[in-house]
Amino acid sequence: MPEPTSLSENRPSMLARLMAGIAEHAPNVTAGPIDDTLNPDEPGHPEYHRRQRAEFALTRWTAAVPYRYQDATATHPAITAWADRAADDPRAAGFLVLTGTIGTGKTHQAYGALRRIAETGPRRFEMLATTAPDLYGRLRPGGSDKGTEHELKRLCQIPLLLLDDLGTEKLSEWTEEATYRLINDRYNQCLPLIVTTNFPVRDPDGAPDLVTRLGDRLASRLAQAATVVHLDGPDLRRTFRSAG
């Protein structure tokens, strides 16, 4: 007794009949070229996904930046070069220390550097910005519901950290030790750090500097691992008020 067969085994598929009909009625027609070039505006293209990451990163940047600095843009060549290195390979960028007197645009340039990193569309963008006084307030007993060690660990591990106005805090053995732990941990982990300060890292003429303010151990770490950029000029805050 012969084996049963199904209809699909005896009859060509609909697609096969369609293709056979086309071949019979148009034997000289061949398939045209297929354009499978990736479009930068469509999913699948690297540029499309970079733009998506950049949009997400800029949203995070905007949420972390004070309103006054929402238009911050890095313009100094050394600062933009550091930001590009940090975007390309964060662990190879080192620290960025911006020195200069009050009102020379250090904070603006610092936030601008973080914005430039966000605009590249990094695969991971997390940042935290704080002033030195706020930092110590957070690390003091009772300064955080989660505890001092939790806050310090977060500051040590955040991918991008801005420490603004370093050296303006009241000096004490505790502030020196807390700052050293933070900077030394980021130094050992090769994580980027941006510092702004009114003091030079080291002053050859013996004027107040970060060595006298924070101790030689800390200044040594900054000097060894940092790109130091000095910003000078008039107090921009006074200039803008005068122009108004």
Side-chain angles (χ1 to χ4, degrees):
M1 182 174 179
E3 294 291 330
T5 59
S6 64
L7 291 176
S8 62
E9 292 177 317
N10 293 328
R11 299 177 58 187
S13 68
M14 179 67 72
L15 179 60
R17 295 200 304 274
L18 177 62
M19 297 302 294
I22 293 175
E24 180 180 353
H25 290 90
N28 297 322
V29 175
T30 58
I34 299 176
D35 184 6
D36 57 359
T37 304
L38 293 177
N39 189 325
D41 296 324
E42 296 179 351
H45 194 284
E47 177 59 17
Y48 172 87
H49 295 288
R50 188 202 68 78
R51 290 175 189 167
Q52 295 295 307
R53 294 194 304 271
E55 182 178 347
F56 176 76
L58 283 169
T59 299
R60 281 194 158 186
W61 180 88
T62 301
V65 175
Y67 181 79
R68 183 173 298 278
Y69 299 103
Q70 290 288 306
D71 64 343
T73 303
T75 56
H76 192 288
I79 297 173
T80 58
W82 180 89
D84 292 343
R85 291 196 303 273
D88 183 61
D89 186 358
R91 293 193 184 273
F95 298 165
L96 175 65
V97 178
L98 305 182
T99 69
T101 54
I102 295 173
T104 51
K106 299 183 297 296
T107 303
H108 183 98
Q109 292 284 333
Y111 279 118
L114 292 170
R115 179 177 191 159
R116 188 178 179 94
I117 294 172
E119 288 173 340
T120 67
R123 297 193 178 278
R124 182 184 181 189
F125 184 84
E126 294 180 53
M127 62 165 280
L128 192 152
T130 182
T131 64
D134 286 341
L135 166 72
Y136 301 124
R138 184 179 302 177
L139 294 181
R140 290 186 185 281
S144 168
D145 294 337
K146 296 182 179 180
T148 297
E149 290 301 318
H150 172 87
E151 292 295 338
L152 182 59
K153 184 177 181 180
R154 181 184 178 219
L155 290 163
C156 288
Q157 295 180 348
I158 194 81
L160 292 165
L161 176 64
L162 165 58
L163 184 53
D164 200 19
D165 281 337
L166 183 63
T168 58
E169 65 285 347
K170 184 178 179 181
L171 292 179
S172 71
E173 184 177 333
W174 180 84
T175 57
E176 181 181 338
E177 188 62 28
T179 310
Y180 177 78
R181 287 184 61 188
L182 170 61
I183 292 181
N184 186 62
D185 195 275
R186 295 189 71 85
Y187 171 85
N188 288 335
Q189 297 300 324
C190 296
L191 290 176
L193 169 67
I194 302 177
V195 169
T196 74
T197 178
N198 296 336
F199 298 94
V201 177
R202 294 181 184 272
D203 192 293
D205 299 324
D209 56 21
L210 287 183
V211 174
T212 56
R213 294 288 300 177
L214 302 173
D216 189 70
R217 292 185 305 167
L218 183 57
S220 176
R221 290 288 188 272
L222 290 175
Q224 182 177 355
T227 297
V228 180
V229 179
H230 180 72
L231 301 178
D232 53 17
D235 186 336
L236 298 179
R237 297 168 189 161
R238 292 176 181 270
T239 301
F240 292 148
R241 285 198 297 269
S242 300

